């Protein structure tokens, strides 16, 4: 069945993941409606509710700090507790003093959903938590609150990378987190395909994720691990920025070698086209924009016509694991525009010398790096996914396997592309008027890409320089050398040892 289990680590990760799950819920069809091309069993699991009825909930684990879940309850309508409300005093016969926190009031959006009423229009002011715009029920096992730290605490901020490392170590020592949290979901899978992680990488969640990924790699061996590493894009004071940069360096050094896919994501992106209106201070809005690219780029992994997405990411040599996330919102009328991707059946490589310069202009949203001057960078591999428009039918091609090998030996960029006619839906849980283009049926045409290029080497080199000045002596050598080893594979002209023939 090729199931994917998702892990959501922290507040920013949960904002993005909530948009992701709302989109998956929107693909369900009921009654005599046309069957959706999405295979829901990839991300959803069947179960039995408290009343014996069948349920269908996401295969996900949601970790967050105390006070970060808003009005979301561990036990919902599908899984209400049936135990006696008054458990009695037990062996204690003294006077009890019960202290309760003030409950968080449900948002108007959630109240309308529960009552089956039309959803009110959301705004940056009305969204206080990621649960305020959540449209799904989760299994009680999916909700994992970490009570050691509190959201936005000034006394014990969850900011330092090492704090996250230590917290995971303490919890894992006490409970064995994989056995307690993940294994029940994994044992339900017929053929586990991948583990997908949403996490922030420039705070303590980066350290928590690094330890978690290390355990996942030990436990699941060669299974794919996809990491969406969210970084703060808004400007902060210099000392806080340095801390963020070092946390990012530690995350990419520790996590990317263990991952099959590691995607740095700026939240919000630095440069926006004029066609997009965005409140950069609202995590609800910025994560909604990111979801248009992230959810589109991974859409082939959920299609009923199973596609080997991992092979496309690996390219020809399989050495590049750090990818940039890019996208472009396309006009509804594509008649006067060139076709940016190939149809699914073609799934070939586009071979022409100098094509490196032809791959970039299609994208005006760059979610990974803040450097707009990328004209001199070299693309090693790119996977494009287009949705919602009718592409031109390509002419018949020669042997595609031969073309791929020719491009590899000529150091030309590898390009594989997919086309899905399903447009990106604009839901009532998403910001209104973010996109200035007019679209029918509340959907937009999007083309997104995951790109491995030499820009990564430039960014890693900058991280090395800062780490060499800021990081303490006991950690400096290991971090700088480790970043350097990763950087080498993203430099033009680099070849792995396996590419050289023995004398």
């Amino acid at each position: 069945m090729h199931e994917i289990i998702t892990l959501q680590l922290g507040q920013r990760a949960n904002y993005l993941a909530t948009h992701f799950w709302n989109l998956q819920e929107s693909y369900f069809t009921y009654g005599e409606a046309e069957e959706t091309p999405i295979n829901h069993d990839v991300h959803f699991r069947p179960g039995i509710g408290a009343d014996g009825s069948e349920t269908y909930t996401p295969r996900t684990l949601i970790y967050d700090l105390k006070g970060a879940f808003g009005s979301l309850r561990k036990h919902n309508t599908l899984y209400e507790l049936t135990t006696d409300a008054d458990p009695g005093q037990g062996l204690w016969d003294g006077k009890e003093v019960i202290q309760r926190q003030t409950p968080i009031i449900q948002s108007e959006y959630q109240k309308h959903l529960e009552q089956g009423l039309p959803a009110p229009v959301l705004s940056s002011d009305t969204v206080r938590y990621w649960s305020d715009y959540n449209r799904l029920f989760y299994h009680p096992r999916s909700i994992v609150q970490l009570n050691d730290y509190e959201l936005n605490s000034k006394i014990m901020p969850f900011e330092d990378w090492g704090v996250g490392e230590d917290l995971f170590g303490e919890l894992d020592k006490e409970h064995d987190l994989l056995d307690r949290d993940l294994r029940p979901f994994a044992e339900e899978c017929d053929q586990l395909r991948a583990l997908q992680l949403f996490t922030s990488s420039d705070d303590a969640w980066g350290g928590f994720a690094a330890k978690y990924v290390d355990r996942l790699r030990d436990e699941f061996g060669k299974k794919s691990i996809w990491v969406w590493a969210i970084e703060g894009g808004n400007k902060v004071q210099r000392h806080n920025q340095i801390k963020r940069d070092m946390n990012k360096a530690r995350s990419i050094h520790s996590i990317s070698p263990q991952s099959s896919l590691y995607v740095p994501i700026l939240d919000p992106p630095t440069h926006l086209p004029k066609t997009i209106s965005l409140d950069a201070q609202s995590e609800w809005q910025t994560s909604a924009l990111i979801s248009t690219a992230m959810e589109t780029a991974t859409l082939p992994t959920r299609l009923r016509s199973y596609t080997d997405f991992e092979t496309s990411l690996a390219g020809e040599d399989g050495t590049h694991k750090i990818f940039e996330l890019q996208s472009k919102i396309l006009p509804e009328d594509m008649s006067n525009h060139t076709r940016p991707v190939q149809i699914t059946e073609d799934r070939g490589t586009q071979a022409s010398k100098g094509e490196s310069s032809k791959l970039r202009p299609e994208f005006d949203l760059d979610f990974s790096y803040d450097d707009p001057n990328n004209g001199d960078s070299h693309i090693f591999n790119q996977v494009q996914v287009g949705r919602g428009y009718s592409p031109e039918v390509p002419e018949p091609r020669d042997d595609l396997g031969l073309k791929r090998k020719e491009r590899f030996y000529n150091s030309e960029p590898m390009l594989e592309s997919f086309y899905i006619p399903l447009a990106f839906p604009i839901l009532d849980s998403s910001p209104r008027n973010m996109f200035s283009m007019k679209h029918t049926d509340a959907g937009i045409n999007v083309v997104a890409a995951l790109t491995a290029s030499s820009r990564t080497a430039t960014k890693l080199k900058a991280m090395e320089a800062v780490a060499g000045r800021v990081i303490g002596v006991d950690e400096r050598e290991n971090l700088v050398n480790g970043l350097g080893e990763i950087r080498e594979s993203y430099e033009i002209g680099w070849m792995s040892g396996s590419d050289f023939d023995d004398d």
Side-chain angles (χ1 to χ4, degrees):
M1 194 183 293
H2 310 292
E3 298 93 345
I4 298 173
I5 297 177
T6 300
L7 293 90
Q8 307 168 206
L9 309 181
Q11 188 75 178
R12 278 182 289 174
N14 286 327
Y15 267 94
L16 176 57
T18 300
H19 285 295
F20 174 82
W21 289 118
N22 287 348
L23 288 163
Q24 305 319 303
E25 189 263 351
S26 73
Y27 298 141
F28 279 90
T29 54
Y30 304 94
E32 298 180 357
E34 183 181 353
E35 185 180 49
T36 174
I38 305 300
N39 181 2
H40 303 297
D41 290 330
V42 171
H43 280 290
F44 286 79
R45 54 173 295 281
I48 303 297
D51 60 355
S53 61
E54 294 184 357
T55 63
Y56 211 47
T57 52
R59 302 181 191 274
T60 189
L61 284 168
I62 307 174
Y63 291 87
D64 218 330
L65 306 180
K66 183 179 180 182
F69 288 87
S71 61
L72 183 69
R73 295 180 297 166
K74 187 178 183 72
H75 295 273
N76 50 56
T77 303
L78 298 181
Y79 296 93
E80 288 286 2
L81 286 173
T82 57
T83 55
D84 189 353
D86 182 13
Q89 287 186 314
L91 297 176
W92 173 253
D93 58 0
K95 185 178 180 180
E96 292 181 343
V97 178
I98 300 176
Q99 294 183 341
R100 299 183 185 275
Q101 281 188 319
T102 304
I104 297 173
I105 300 174
Q106 270 190 329
S107 66
E108 288 299 315
Y109 183 84
Q110 291 296 330
K111 291 178 181 177
H112 280 65
L113 284 183
E114 288 192 358
Q115 297 170 12
L117 300 174
V121 177
L122 291 168
S123 69
S124 299
D125 295 329
T126 58
V127 176
R128 307 156 300 167
Y129 303 91
W130 53 264
S131 60
D132 285 346
Y133 59 94
N134 166 61
R135 296 184 55 88
L136 289 84
F137 288 121
Y138 298 97
H139 190 280
R141 286 202 308 261
S142 290
I143 310 298
V144 186
Q145 179 171 286
L146 306 182
N147 294 314
D148 301 70
Y149 290 85
E150 191 166 357
L151 182 67
N152 299 326
S153 172
K154 301 296 183 184
I155 301 173
M156 295 176 62
F158 201 60
E159 295 177 352
D160 292 333
W161 202 84
V163 169
E165 261 193 323
D166 294 341
L167 177 60
F168 182 90
E170 293 168 4
L171 294 173
D172 195 46
K173 184 178 180 181
E174 182 178 355
H175 302 290
D176 192 329
L177 292 185
L178 263 67
D179 271 348
R180 186 192 72 176
D181 300 339
L182 184 64
R183 199 171 305 283
F185 287 96
E187 290 177 346
E188 293 173 344
C189 299
D190 293 332
Q191 187 177 348
L192 180 63
R193 176 182 186 177
L195 297 142
Q196 174 178 247
L197 278 84
F198 294 91
T199 183
S200 47
S201 62
D202 59 355
D203 56 14
W205 285 110
F208 191 92
K211 286 292 187 181
Y212 215 131
V213 170
D214 189 52
R215 284 292 314 278
L216 292 176
R217 184 52 72 202
D218 286 342
E219 182 71 22
F220 293 98
K222 295 184 178 181
K223 295 292 183 185
S224 294
I225 298 177
W226 304 334
V227 180
W228 306 93
I230 306 168
E231 309 168 357
N234 289 320
K235 292 183 178 180
V236 294
Q237 293 181 344
R238 187 173 182 276
H239 68 280
N240 287 330
Q241 187 60 53
I242 291 176
K243 180 187 292 186
R244 279 185 178 183
D245 290 342
M246 290 303 94
N247 288 339
K248 287 188 289 186
R250 293 182 177 103
S251 293
I252 204 167
H253 167 252
S254 300
I255 301 175
S256 67
Q258 303 269 51
S259 307
S260 312
L261 169 71
Y262 183 94
V263 184
I265 298 178
L266 275 174
D267 182 15
T270 306
H271 304 280
L272 294 173
K274 295 180 180 179
T275 54
I276 292 178
S277 175
L278 185 73
D279 178 1
Q281 302 303 317
S282 169
E283 287 186 280
W284 167 62
Q285 289 205 25
T286 58
S287 58
L289 179 62
I290 294 169
S291 72
T292 62
M294 177 267 154
E295 203 272 338
T296 296
T298 59
L299 196 55
T301 66
R302 298 182 285 282
L303 296 179
R304 293 186 185 277
S305 54
Y306 176 79
T307 54
D308 192 0
F309 193 67
E310 290 84 350
T311 300
S312 303
L313 289 173
E316 201 64 37
D317 57 4
T319 59
H320 302 110
K321 301 178 180 179
I322 302 174
F323 283 75
E324 309 153 32
L325 178 64
Q326 300 153 327
S327 73
K328 182 179 180 66
I329 310 300
L330 302 172
E332 185 180 22
D333 181 10
M334 290 291 296
S335 59
N336 296 323
H337 289 74
T338 56
R339 177 174 53 86
V341 296
Q342 297 170 247
I343 61 173
T344 309
E345 290 77 11
D346 184 33
R347 289 191 60 211
T349 57
Q350 295 183 352
S352 65
K353 290 190 175 181
E355 189 180 12
S356 173
S357 62
K358 296 181 181 179
L359 299 182
R360 297 188 191 87
E362 300 294 345
F363 307 105
D364 52 14
L365 275 168
D366 190 334
F367 293 95
S368 292
Y369 300 136
D370 56 5
D371 178 16
N373 300 316
N374 59 2
D376 295 332
S377 64
H378 174 79
I379 291 179
F380 301 105
N381 184 28
Q382 186 177 91
V383 180
Q384 289 186 4
V385 181
R387 62 188 301 177
Y389 55 89
S390 299
E392 301 171 5
V393 179
E395 297 178 358
R397 295 177 178 274
D398 298 328
D399 187 323
L400 295 178
L402 179 61
K403 287 286 187 183
R404 291 179 67 90
K405 291 187 180 297
E406 287 178 354
R407 295 176 64 76
F408 174 61
Y409 287 115
N410 292 332
S411 297
E412 294 174 352
M414 306 298 298
L415 170 62
E416 188 141 14
S417 51
F418 301 85
Y419 164 70
I420 299 98
L422 182 68
F424 183 92
I426 303 299
L427 310 178
D428 56 26
S429 60
S430 302
R432 304 289 176 89
N433 304 320
M434 178 179 288
F435 308 104
S436 61
M437 300 176 185
K438 294 182 179 180
H439 296 271
T440 59
D441 300 325
I444 58 174
N445 304 327
V446 182
V447 58
L450 292 168
T451 307
S453 80
S454 59
R455 295 175 68 197
T456 297
T458 304
K459 293 300 176 183
L460 289 174
K461 190 172 184 179
M463 285 184 179
E464 289 178 62
V466 177
R469 297 194 306 266
V470 177
I471 295 292
V473 177
D474 54 339
E475 185 187 0
R476 183 188 306 158
E477 183 177 0
N478 180 50
L479 181 59
V480 172
N481 290 344
L483 289 172
E485 290 176 3
I486 299 171
R487 168 178 51 81
E488 287 178 353
S489 62
Y490 295 88
E491 292 179 333
I492 302 173
W494 179 88
M495 296 184 71
S496 66
S498 60
D499 293 326
F500 291 97
D501 295 327
D502 295 330
D503 293 335

